[in-house]
Amino acid sequence: MRLMKTLAAAGLMMTALCTQAAPTAVPDTAQVKAAHDLLVAMQAEKMVRTTAGMSKYPSPAQRELMMAKLDKLPNETVYTRLALPVARLLSTATAVEMTRYYQSSYGQKVLNQTYNGPPRLYPADPVPTAKEKTELKQPAFVKANQEFKAAEQAIHHEAFVLIGEINKGK
């Protein structure tokens, strides 16, 4: 009886593994380039510094050491090393649309408030002008924003993984 239960459990696990979506194939160069451009537009080096600052370290000296490593790291290195993981998370169309958004005047205000604003419990975006409101209601942006919001935690996780690799010297 125990053997039957074990075989049944193993069969269910194999079925579950086979029915899950296959991991995303290696993105093409256009998709990686679009993700790179998005990371440049959203100032990903500041996101990485923020993530490193919020991370827990055994001692203040180790925190300072990590921040020093990030200060020495060129911004382009951050963009290049995050481009492939982000390309796996976002479609090319989403990356292009979100790049356009972050390069707009409203996107710049959002980035400024995110990275340079005062600390707050809840994110508060700036109030858009009438022209910016119409741009934010375009179907392409709405769809891209939804996909980006769904992948945002995974992007921050990839930044955290990058911090760990930098800390280990990779």
Side-chain angles (χ1 to χ4, degrees):
M1 190 59 130
R2 179 176 247 172
L3 178 64
M4 291 297 287
K5 286 182 182 178
T6 305
L7 288 175
L12 286 173
M13 288 174 49
M14 291 301 292
T15 305
L17 287 174
C18 292
T19 58
Q20 285 180 348
T24 308
V26 177
D28 61 355
T29 55
Q31 194 171 0
V32 174
K33 172 78 170 104
H36 181 275
D37 294 344
L38 171 62
L39 292 166
V40 171
M42 65 186 280
Q43 301 171 8
E45 74 281 359
K46 292 180 181 178
M47 176 184 65
V48 169
R49 285 190 58 78
T50 302
T51 303
M54 291 187 309
S55 299
K56 298 204 184 287
Y57 296 93
S59 69
Q62 286 182 334
R63 176 184 299 275
E64 289 177 21
L65 179 65
M66 184 63 213
M67 290 302 180
K69 286 180 183 180
L70 287 176
D71 287 340
K72 293 177 190 173
L73 191 69
N75 295 342
E76 186 59 34
T77 304
V78 172
Y79 308 143
T80 304
R81 291 182 70 179
L82 282 177
L84 184 61
V86 171
R88 289 183 179 134
L89 297 170
L90 299 174
S91 68
T92 305
T94 297
V96 169
E97 187 63 30
M98 293 309 292
T99 301
R100 191 185 65 72
Y101 164 72
Y102 281 120
Q103 290 173 340
S104 71
S105 62
Y106 181 71
Q108 290 296 310
K109 289 180 204 173
V110 170
L111 288 174
N112 188 33
Q113 188 159 347
T114 300
Y115 298 128
N116 301 327
R120 54 194 175 277
L121 291 175
Y122 302 103
D125 290 338
V127 178
T129 63
K131 181 182 176 189
E132 292 168 344
K133 281 183 185 178
T134 58
E135 290 177 9
L136 295 175
K137 291 181 182 177
Q138 293 178 351
F141 173 74
V142 171
K143 182 181 176 194
N145 192 36
Q146 286 174 345
E147 184 181 340
F148 184 77
K149 292 291 183 194
E152 197 166 22
Q153 278 189 324
I155 293 170
H156 285 283
H157 174 72
E158 292 299 335
F160 183 76
V161 169
L162 177 62
I163 290 167
E165 290 174 358
I166 291 169
N167 196 25
K168 291 177 184 174
K170 291 183 180 178

